[in-house]
Amino acid sequence: MFYGVPLTSRLMLGTAQYPSPAVLAQAISASGTEVITVSLRREGVGGTAFRDLIRASGCRILPNTAGCHTVKEAVTTAHMAREVFGTKWIKLEVIGHADTLQPDPFALVEAARILCADGFEVFPYTTEDLIVGEKLLEAGCEVLMPWGAPIGSGQGLRNIEGLRTMRAHFDGVPLVVDAGIGAPSQAMQAMEMGFDAVLLNTAVAKAVDPVGMARAFGQAVQAGHLAMRAGLMPPRDMASASTPIFGMAELV
């Protein structure tokens, strides 16, 4: 549940870089997602036709401030997105490094504070830094979206211990792994660790078969969550036979 909105799917899907609008529509359907992210810049390029396509999907729209590098730019983009899409939800990105696209934590917290005070329901794209996470919650965010790896890199969960620590520290806070997921197995791993959802784009949009990959991610996220709920077997230092020796026949 995010900001009081219950969802059955734990996969959030981006809408950029698909080979055609038809493929995008099919991928959204195949994934089973209920939330799609849309950049205001992308929507501007697609115009009314693109807006009609994403609304026809029946999914909840999560606009984002992709490409923003300053507080002013991010806040202005968020206000424009609220007018265009009629939603208080906003995925807040304030990029601080041109090569890694790492969030600027100082600008991110400042922008989050401004937007939360203005009635937005903010989904901040952040790192796994606990202090930044605390500051974002203090600013009014009710969700945190730590990166798995740099955007579009496909490296998966690059700092597993950091993400585990974040999950344990923010018990009860919805956490979404956002960025860097390149394979369904990586999305499943995030869900097995107890994260509430994953958000991805490039791994589906740039696949040889985006529709098939979208379906694979949808199933992987579901499987990972079910496995976490069922209780994963802890790793052991030594072998432990699944078939006990007691009761076996003795050959003389």
Side-chain angles (χ1 to χ4, degrees), residues 5-60:
V5 177
L7 300 167
T8 56
S9 173
R10 295 175 181 272
L11 174 64
M12 299 179 174
L13 194 63
T15 57
Q17 305 183 65
Y18 287 81
S20 72
V23 171
L24 169 59
Q26 293 170 35
I28 292 172
S29 178
S31 72
T33 185
E34 294 172 272
V35 177
I36 54 176
T37 62
V38 181
S39 167
L40 193 64
R41 289 172 171 82
R42 172 67 181 86
E43 193 279 335
V45 173
T48 304
F50 180 73
R51 196 182 312 172
D52 290 343
L53 184 154
I54 59 175
R55 284 178 173 158
S57 71
C59 295
R60 193 175 186 94

Side-chain angles (χ1 to χ4, degrees), residues 10 164 167 173-175 188-197 224-225 228 232:
R10 295 175 181 272
R164 287 191 193 279
R167 177 64 284 178
V173 176
L175 299 182
M188 184 184 295
Q189 183 181 24
M191 300 307 297
E192 289 177 348
M193 290 167 60
F195 283 86
D196 297 277
H225 177 68
M228 183 276 297
L232 292 163

Side-chain angles (χ1 to χ4, degrees), residues 94-111:
V94 187
I95 301 302
H97 193 275
D99 292 331
T100 65
L101 301 182
Q102 179 174 331
D104 178 337
F106 307 102
L108 180 66
V109 171
E110 182 180 351

Side-chain angles (χ1 to χ4, degrees), residues 74-88:
V75 170
T76 300
T77 301
H79 279 91
M80 292 172 64
R82 183 165 63 180
E83 292 298 317
V84 170
F85 298 109
T87 178
K88 294 186 293 184

Side-chain angles (χ1 to χ4, degrees), residues 234-250:
R236 297 166 174 165
D237 293 331
M238 299 292 289
S240 178
S242 57
T243 302
I245 297 177
F246 179 78
M248 294 181 64
E250 295 184 14

